[in-house]
Amino acid sequence: MTQLYIIGGYLVLLLMLGLFSNRLFKGTSKDYMLASHSIGPFLLLMSLFGTTMTAFALVGSTGEAFTEGIGVYGMLASSSGIIHSLCFFLIGIRLWSFGRRYGYTTQIQFFRDRLENEGIGLLLFPILVGLVIPYLLIGVLAAGAVINGVTIGAFDTAFARYDFGVPPWLGSLVISVIVLLYVFFGGMRGTAWANAFQTMVFMVLGIVTFFIISNQIGGVQAASEAVLEKHPSKMMREVPPEEHATYEEEFERWEVVAKYNWAKNQPEFAPEIKAALTEEKEKEFADEAASRPGPPFMRPFIQEALEAEYAKEQGLLNLSPEQTQIAKIEQDDRILPPEGQRAADWVNLPLAHFAQSDDWVKEALTTYADEIGHVRLEENKITRNAALGRYRVTHWAPQEPERMSFLLFVTYLLIPFSVGMFPHLFQHWLTAKSAGSFKLPVVAHPIFIMIVWVPCVLLGVWATSATYPGTERLIIPPHFPANAVLARMVSELTDDVLAGFLTAGVLAAIMSSLDSQFLAIGTMFTTDIVTHYTGEDRFTDRQKVWLARGFVILIVAVTYGCSLFEPRRVFILGVWCFSGFSSLFPLVFAAVYWKRLTAAGAYAGALAAIISWLWLFADSNFGLDAEYTFFGMMPVVPMVAAAIVAMVLVSLVTKPPSQATIDKFFALEAEK
Amino acid sequence: MNKVVWGLILLLVIIRNDYWFWGDSTLVFGFIPIGLFYQACISLAAGVLWYMATIYCWPTDLVEETKEAIQEEPAQ
């Protein structure tokens, strides 16, 4: 309950901040959307940083480091540190200048003017809003999951299906409503203040958590040495031969269990296995399993492994390669396509090639039905999540340590270019009081990324090998969901108060992105659609503010609806949505620096970007293939290449922009 | 100096791809793996280079022109 009170208190504080900033609201749409261009360097830094750092900054970075090792910092964070500032410097300042001089509020206004074309807005509006929705979805879903995770057992009787915690759908709803309210009250000024406050909250709490947890697991040195001993591949980007050999031994043992579990249910093998495993033998294995160290729930699994090994020794598991592959797919709860739809070499494909089935959840809950209960009020009960964890540990194949692909590492550099086309960042850039306001964000952004990410990445890799003080028991078991690693470390190693505050910090990171996105899509609808097509004077300023709010509510409702139906794919969708924005980066870069860019070239570039995006997305089984690459590279590479080629070629063969437009946007270059 | 700073930023982008530390797990200060330490230094270097960029590559002409335009027609 303590965590719930702290989270509640934090949300009330945010609402008060929104209300207070409302007192400074001037009542004009310009003030609501751009804070009357009044934002100085510090607020701009905090808003830009808070907006670009989503839930991924704290929760995702720890989870990714747990799965992939320290390489994720170079791949995701240091690249962002360089490229985000590059975008602020090369694109942000120029767009701010054009925005101030020609009165733009949105990207589409700029593109319409620069390209002397009305229709480009109708092409870009659905693309930009469509790409923002999955981004919003990540925040909304993550908020629900985080609140549920820390409130488990908070209620005595309510929400049994959610382990007596706040249901994810309710947490997502509350967070969406809170953000909507403070964005409505405070507009851009409230958003900038809330972002600054929330960014400070998650940075400070992240560092505090790092020190407390590292202390709990024996200090920074001991924690790193434990990883070097157990999982050295997490401390580099290669897999040492010894670690790979250990994995292969574990996999071989697991394969024997998979073959045994499959064969004992097949008429071809079952009678012989049954005959060999006499009651005496079974009792012998049960006794041996009971004598082994480890928690009691592992005993049936150990017994099964002993029986499988015995069956193998007796020559009872001589399965064909096809039968072996089917046995492994079933044991790992994966889906084998029907005959005729299988790849020619399906027998030799790794398990990761086959999609994971959802049926295992039901089976896991049935298996542990008697043990699931209220962990706070009943003795010896476990949560539903713990039951799922037990099932995974005892059924699924060991995780293979993998080297990080150098080509993926290099080509990931294109992903952070997405910030150049984020509609919400464009709007933040325009809030700057002066060009000088950009200096601090440009310089401090990479350093802030380092301050937040390095501790989280270290916590993630330490989690692979950290044990409870004085024991050999792992705090994070194998197959643990990556995005829940930080929450688990906090709940297991700190007290309720810190857990509550850290949750507030994670929610702060989530909300500081959601608020800007909500505001940006409302602004785009009012400015680029309503005002543009009905005329500047058709609505009063107050009516425009209400129209923006109405559209935001509609988009949030759509996003919230999506969050109830398709939560599985959302984190994968995140990288796809960033790739989409990155593929539009050549368009904004050319619009700002290349005089020869024409409207037809822009259409060609945007269409090439979005068509290649759709084609690759479909080819990746709509994001379900998490390992999807394009000839070993990030799929963003062909998208960006297609956009550049189409944009340049079509621009060169079409009529150049008018001299008036060139004078308007490139006067300084002409003088030089 | 303008070109030097942009050259250094390009160099930073290139040396961010540290293939030479791919298989190295040496601990710096006894706890930070060298691959992570190196990349953290890349972030710090980025901060320094962007600071130099704000001094030597700042678009002064654009800023002045914008300032003049704003003064002619002040924001609401």
Side-chain angles (χ1 to χ4, degrees):
Chain A
M1 252 337 193
T2 311
Q3 288 102 319
L4 202 55
Y5 291 136
I6 293 172
I7 295 167
Y10 180 73
L11 296 179
V12 170
L13 202 65
L14 263 185
L15 276 182
M16 285 166 61
L17 194 70
L19 278 174
F20 180 70
S21 61
N22 183 253
R23 291 170 67 106
L24 300 175
F25 180 37
K26 295 176 182 173
T28 65
S29 58
K30 190 171 233 177
D31 193 60
Y32 183 76
M33 293 167 186
L34 299 176
S36 300
H37 308 291
S38 63
I39 302 297
F42 179 71
L43 269 186
L44 190 65
L45 162 69
M46 298 309 248
S47 323
L48 293 177
F49 184 70
T51 302
T52 51
M53 292 295 115
T54 58
F56 202 81
L58 291 175
V59 179
S61 56
T62 313
E64 281 294 305
F66 175 77
T67 314
E68 307 282 344
I70 54 122
V72 298
Y73 182 88
M75 194 153 168
L76 311 173
S78 76
S79 58
S80 298
I82 302 169
I83 303 300
H84 287 179
S85 288
L86 181 80
C87 291
F88 300 164
F89 196 95
L90 288 183
I91 307 290
I93 298 173
R94 286 226 154 206
L95 290 181
W96 167 83
S97 163
F98 295 148
R100 288 304 310 267
R101 280 188 284 168
Y102 309 128
Y104 307 137
T105 312
T106 68
Q107 286 162 309
I108 288 173
Q109 283 181 311
F110 161 70
F111 281 117
R112 276 181 172 144
D113 211 10
R114 163 69 182 84
L115 299 168
E116 306 166 301
N117 188 286
E118 291 294 307
I120 192 76
L122 290 178
L123 175 67
L124 286 179
F125 184 80
I127 293 177
L128 294 172
V129 173
L131 287 172
V132 165
I133 288 179
Y135 198 170
L136 285 175
L137 203 51
I138 296 170
V140 169
L141 274 168
V146 166
I147 295 179
N148 174 256
V150 296
T151 55
I152 283 172
F155 301 99
D156 289 352
T157 52
F159 307 127
R161 218 183 127 202
Y162 303 97
D163 285 328
F164 304 94
V166 177
W169 59 264
L170 183 59
S172 295
L173 185 66
V174 169
I175 291 297
S176 299
V177 171
I178 296 283
V179 177
L180 274 177
L181 284 175
Y182 79 70
V183 169
F184 283 6
F185 283 132
M188 179 50 95
R189 187 175 285 102
T191 300
W193 285 11
N195 269 357
F197 171 66
Q198 304 210 79
T199 304
M200 283 189 280
V201 166
F202 78 71
M203 285 180 80
V204 170
L205 288 172
I207 293 167
V208 170
T209 307
F210 171 76
F211 282 108
I212 292 178
I213 291 182
S214 59
N215 198 33
Q216 287 289 323
I217 55 177
V220 291
Q221 207 159 337
S224 288
E225 280 165 5
V227 185
L228 271 187
E229 194 191 319
K230 293 175 189 163
H231 300 285
S233 61
K234 304 290 181 194
M235 304 295 260
M236 48 181 154
R237 285 157 281 183
E238 288 283 4
V239 182
E242 312 80 55
E243 190 177 351
H244 204 264
T246 310
Y247 159 75
E248 283 188 340
E249 279 168 26
E250 284 174 11
F251 188 83
E252 220 168 88
R253 280 199 294 273
W254 175 83
E255 192 179 89
V256 173
V257 173
K259 284 160 81 172
Y260 169 71
N261 282 340
W262 184 79
K264 71 183 180 187
N265 293 317
Q266 304 300 317
E268 187 186 344
F269 299 96
E272 285 185 37
I273 293 175
K274 206 173 175 188
L277 275 168
T278 57
E279 272 186 28
E280 254 178 40
K281 271 282 162 205
E282 275 187 9
K283 190 176 178 311
E284 182 191 323
F285 292 139
D287 291 343
E288 193 180 335
S291 68
R292 297 264 182 103
F297 78 86
M298 287 294 287
R299 284 176 198 159
F301 174 66
I302 297 170
Q303 185 182 338
E304 193 177 71
L306 292 168
E307 289 172 4
E309 203 56 46
Y310 177 72
K312 185 190 156 199
E313 282 165 14
Q314 300 299 310
L316 305 174
L317 298 180
N318 294 322
L319 277 62
S320 69
E322 287 82 6
Q323 288 171 328
T324 304
Q325 182 76 322
I326 293 170
K328 288 193 289 185
I329 288 171
E330 282 188 11
Q331 179 75 22
D332 211 42
D333 291 305
R334 291 180 184 271
I335 302 166
L336 178 67
E339 273 184 72
Q341 290 178 32
R342 295 173 195 166
D345 58 342
W346 69 275
V347 175
N348 302 315
L349 288 174
L351 286 170
H353 179 81
F354 303 94
Q356 197 112 41
S357 154
D358 282 336
D359 298 342
W360 69 274
V361 174
K362 202 174 163 193
E363 200 186 325
L365 295 177
T366 311
T367 307
Y368 295 101
D370 295 340
E371 292 169 63
I372 295 172
H374 199 303
V375 283
R376 184 168 53 85
L377 301 178
E378 296 172 276
E379 270 183 41
N380 299 324
K381 291 290 180 186
I382 60 169
T383 62
R384 293 161 68 94
N385 271 338
L388 299 182
R390 286 185 179 186
Y391 181 91
R392 286 189 297 259
V393 169
T394 53
H395 283 72
W396 290 0
Q399 286 163 311
E400 183 175 7
E402 283 181 51
R403 81 182 291 273
M404 182 169 273
S405 154
F406 184 64
L407 198 52
L408 277 184
F409 185 89
V410 173
T411 54
Y412 197 93
L413 193 72
L414 289 178
I415 298 282
F417 280 103
S418 51
V419 302
M421 269 306 281
F422 282 163
H424 46 289
L425 275 199
F426 179 91
Q427 204 170 341
H428 271 298
W429 289 335
L430 287 192
T431 63
K433 194 190 281 179
S434 67
S437 297
F438 279 86
K439 287 184 178 175
L440 186 61
V442 165
V443 175
H445 192 80
I447 298 167
F448 271 29
I449 287 182
M450 187 197 74
I451 293 171
V452 171
W453 274 72
V454 169
C456 288
V457 168
L458 280 172
L459 284 181
V461 291
W462 290 342
T464 60
S465 313
T467 51
Y468 287 98
T471 71
E472 282 298 305
R473 213 177 118 220
L474 284 171
I475 296 168
I476 310 288
H479 294 298
F480 195 81
N483 288 316
V485 167
L486 182 65
R488 167 92 172 192
M489 294 281 274
V490 169
S491 65
E492 293 296 308
L493 297 171
T494 66
D495 57 26
D496 285 355
V497 175
L498 183 69
F501 277 113
L502 186 80
T503 309
V506 173
L507 292 176
I510 294 169
M511 289 188 287
S512 61
S513 301
L514 283 180
D515 53 12
S516 306
Q517 291 158 341
F518 284 2
L519 192 64
I521 49 178
T523 305
M524 283 163 66
F525 176 71
T526 318
T527 311
D528 300 329
I529 303 294
V530 178
T531 309
H532 187 77
Y533 289 106
T534 61
E536 190 67 40
D537 302 323
R538 170 69 180 78
F539 296 102
T540 65
D541 251 11
R542 286 230 171 250
Q543 284 172 326
K544 285 180 197 166
V545 169
W546 277 105
L547 279 169
R549 289 171 176 170
F551 187 69
V552 172
I553 291 177
L554 177 73
I555 292 294
V556 172
V558 169
T559 308
Y560 181 71
C562 293
S563 77
L564 299 178
F565 295 110
E566 190 48 291
R568 263 183 320 135
R569 301 180 188 176
V570 75
F571 284 98
I572 301 162
L573 278 180
V575 175
W576 280 98
C577 121
F578 290 157
S579 301
F581 280 116
S582 296
S583 65
L584 293 171
F585 178 82
L587 178 61
V588 69
F589 186 82
V592 168
Y593 287 101
W594 191 38
K595 290 179 201 174
R596 195 62 183 74
L597 174 71
T598 65
Y603 276 104
L607 285 171
I610 212 66
I611 290 169
S612 57
W613 186 92
L614 287 169
W615 182 73
L616 291 159
F617 187 56
D619 198 41
S620 74
N621 200 6
F622 298 95
L624 275 184
D625 183 355
E627 308 283 315
Y628 183 78
T629 58
F630 183 81
F631 292 103
M633 297 180 287
M634 293 294 292
V636 68
V637 176
M639 293 179 207
V640 171
I644 292 174
V645 170
M647 183 182 73
V648 171
L649 289 181
V650 175
S651 288
L652 290 176
V653 296
T654 47
K655 196 180 155 206
S658 70
Q659 193 56 45
T661 294
I662 291 176
D663 290 344
K664 187 173 178 179
F665 292 97
F666 299 95
L668 283 172
E669 282 79 355
E671 283 167 21
K672 285 174 190 169
Chain B
M1 199 58 191
N2 182 322
K3 283 181 183 165
V4 172
V5 173
W6 283 116
L8 287 173
I9 289 170
L10 182 64
L11 182 67
L12 190 73
V13 171
I14 294 167
I15 63 168
R16 167 247 174 199
N17 304 308
D18 59 333
Y19 197 67
W20 46 92
F21 285 135
W22 225 248
D24 194 339
S25 61
T26 308
L27 294 180
V28 180
F29 305 126
F31 76 100
I32 308 182
I34 195 156
L36 179 61
F37 179 75
Y38 177 85
Q39 292 292 338
C41 290
I42 292 279
S43 298
L44 282 177
V48 172
L49 284 181
W50 285 121
Y51 174 69
M52 288 168 70
T54 60
I55 296 171
Y56 299 110
C57 312
W58 194 244
T60 315
D61 295 351
L62 183 78
V63 173
E64 287 306 314
E65 194 193 54
T66 311
K67 219 182 265 179
E68 281 167 25
I70 296 169
Q71 275 163 3
E72 281 167 22
E73 196 181 336
Q76 295 285 303

